[in-house]
Amino acid sequence: MSDVKLTKHYENINIKQYGMVIALVAIFLLFNLFTGGKNASPMNINNLVMQNGYVVIMATGMLLCVLTGNVDLGVGSIVALTGAISAICVVDLHFPILLAFLTALLVGIACGAFAGFFIAKLGIPPFVVTLATMLMGRGLTYTMLKAQTKGPTPQAYNWIGAGFLPTIRMGKIDLVTIVIAAVATVFIILGDIKANRTKLKYNFNVNPLWQRVIKLIVIIFILWFLFLKLAQNNGVPIVLVLCGIIVAIYNFITSRTVAGRQIYALGGNEKAARLSGINTRSVFFWVYTNMGFLAAVAGIVLSARNGSATPKAGDGFEMDAIASCYIGGAATAGGIGTIIGAVVGAFVMGVLNNGMSLIGWSTDIQKIVKGAVLLGAVVFDLVSKKRK
């Protein structure tokens, strides 16, 4: 291969691609210094994972909305509504737990399809439609719960939000957690190799080997740090397994399927996508229906973790989900962003929330900091585009 062709295959380091991972590590180390190491304790790492599971789930669905150039403001209310329905089915109606979960999921899908109908079929702006569903969903939640907490939910119900995989102890270390970390490491390395070969096959640009090695070292270090801490506590939380499955499925959908390419095309240029034969109305409809489904999953997880459903559950969750996408590198105009980036953004938000709580900062100050971080991420995106 000639020198010219080699130059063609390599690209400069993408700061946006790696910047948030570096920021996540830096923020964690900063809070580790301020808290005297409390945020790195096994118990706190476990709490960090379990408290932010719902954010990861919602950010995964929200990214698809953001890729179309829009957001969904109603997800927090759908989280509250579906959690309330699930708890009512179990506590008051004595449904089997799986049937209660299925009922909540169907309600979430119906809520998403309701919003999708007005957006896709009637052409009403998503901001207006989802603002309406936010108000309607919250009102329905208060009505169904009669402004009271519904609970406690059964232990088997709570397992999905507060349970753990079975453990095999060797001293203070859980071997099951270690095995899962080792398997994940192998998949990460093989996935990177396969992705690089695919890019070379189709003559796409690839990062130099040293950049890929550094990226893998950082990712694997974070993975093992997380799982070693979990292994010293109660093992792998069920919510982490659920998040891993959801992230893997949606990462495959967005990167390897026609449906995923259609979302990126729609966000990049809706008119061009429509002229190329993409049914943009259908894309809008399934994206918002899917958001309702994932909001219902988050609602079930939240009610299971709390052991009850409350009228104020999910309040402000839409902001965390939207911020996670933008902090993770999604473009405000749509068409750019990844599932992994949204997950990194979700953990940036989680580390910020957790660290500021450990320091003892008030919720008012926490909101100011999170708002500043979100604004900084958006400004970075716009400045990067202008330079290009």
Side-chain angles (χ1 to χ4, degrees):
M1 185 179 289
S2 66
D3 292 340
V4 175
K5 198 165 186 180
L6 280 171
T7 304
K8 181 180 179 181
H9 275 305
Y10 288 98
E11 62 182 358
N12 294 326
I13 188 167
N14 187 339
I15 297 176
K16 193 174 181 180
Q17 183 178 357
Y18 306 120
M20 280 303 110
V21 177
I22 297 171
L24 175 60
V25 175
I27 292 169
F28 184 86
L29 292 176
L30 187 63
F31 280 120
N32 189 59
L33 178 65
F34 287 157
T35 61
K38 289 182 180 179
N39 71 324
S41 66
M43 181 176 292
N44 189 66
I45 295 297
N46 175 77
N47 291 338
L48 182 64
V49 171
M50 298 183 75
Q51 289 170 0
N52 290 280
Y54 70 86
V55 181
V56 172
I57 294 169
M58 289 195 301
T60 301
M62 187 64 74
L63 179 75
L64 304 188
C65 299
V66 170
L67 287 175
T68 67
N70 303 283
V71 295
D72 189 338
L73 297 176
V75 292
S77 296
I78 297 175
V79 165
L81 178 62
T82 53
I85 288 173
S86 184
I88 289 171
C89 287
V90 169
V91 175
D92 291 343
L93 304 179
H94 306 293
F95 279 20
I97 292 172
L98 290 179
L99 182 57
F101 288 167
L102 178 60
T103 303
L105 291 175
L106 290 175
V107 170
I109 292 171
C111 291
F114 177 82
F117 171 80
F118 286 97
I119 294 168
K121 303 301 181 183
L122 302 184
I124 300 175
F127 181 88
V128 176
V129 175
T130 58
L131 180 61
T133 57
M134 178 178 72
L135 298 172
M136 295 165 66
R138 187 64 61 181
L140 284 171
T141 304
Y142 271 86
T143 301
M144 295 187 66
L145 292 177
K146 299 178 181 178
Q148 297 177 346
T149 299
K150 182 64 64 179
T153 49
Q155 196 66 33
Y157 179 102
N158 299 340
W159 178 79
I160 194 171
F164 297 85
L165 290 179
T167 58
I168 301 175
R169 292 284 174 181
M170 179 178 286
K172 294 183 178 181
I173 299 293
D174 172 38
L175 295 182
V176 174
T177 306
I178 300 302
V179 170
I180 292 174
V183 172
T185 301
V186 172
F187 273 104
I188 289 171
I189 294 173
L190 292 178
D192 183 79
I193 293 172
K194 184 177 179 181
N196 191 67
R197 286 178 176 174
T198 302
K199 288 180 179 179
L200 288 174
K201 179 180 177 181
Y202 293 102
N203 204 33
F204 291 163
N205 288 335
V206 296
N207 290 329
L209 178 61
W210 67 270
Q211 289 184 18
R212 292 169 48 219
V213 170
I214 291 176
K215 180 188 74 172
L216 286 174
I217 289 173
V218 172
I219 291 173
I220 292 171
F221 173 80
I222 294 173
L223 173 74
W224 277 93
F225 174 82
L226 172 66
F227 275 83
L228 283 173
K229 292 294 182 179
L230 293 175
Q232 296 173 48
N233 195 58
N234 294 321
V236 179
I238 298 301
V239 68
L240 180 60
V241 177
L242 179 62
C243 289
I245 293 171
I246 289 174
V247 168
I249 291 173
Y250 282 87
N251 186 57
F252 176 81
I253 290 173
T254 54
S255 61
R256 301 290 181 87
T257 67
V258 173
R261 296 189 192 99
Q262 288 178 344
I263 298 173
Y264 281 99
L266 171 60
N269 189 320
E270 182 178 351
K271 185 177 180 180
R274 188 164 53 248
L275 292 174
S276 68
I278 295 174
N279 187 341
T280 55
R281 289 186 174 186
S282 176
V283 174
F284 271 123
F285 183 79
W286 87 259
V287 163
Y288 280 89
T289 301
N290 173 76
M291 185 69 256
F293 166 73
L294 288 179
V297 175
I300 292 170
V301 169
L302 182 65
S303 64
R305 173 164 170 74
N306 293 336
S308 62
T310 63
K312 287 194 174 183
D315 190 23
F317 282 13
E318 62 278 350
M319 294 299 110
D320 284 342
I322 294 168
S324 297
C325 295
Y326 290 138
I327 291 172
T332 53
I336 298 174
T338 63
I339 295 293
I340 301 302
V343 172
V344 172
F347 275 103
V348 168
M349 295 292 291
V351 170
L352 282 172
N353 287 329
N354 182 262
M356 290 187 290
S357 296
L358 288 175
I359 292 174
W361 288 0
S362 67
T363 55
D364 301 332
I365 300 298
Q366 291 183 32
K367 289 180 180 178
I368 293 172
V369 173
K370 289 192 292 184
V373 171
L374 173 59
L375 182 60
V378 174
V379 169
F380 179 80
D381 173 56
L382 295 176
V383 170
S384 300
K385 285 182 178 178
K386 288 182 179 180
R387 287 181 177 177
K388 288 180 183 180

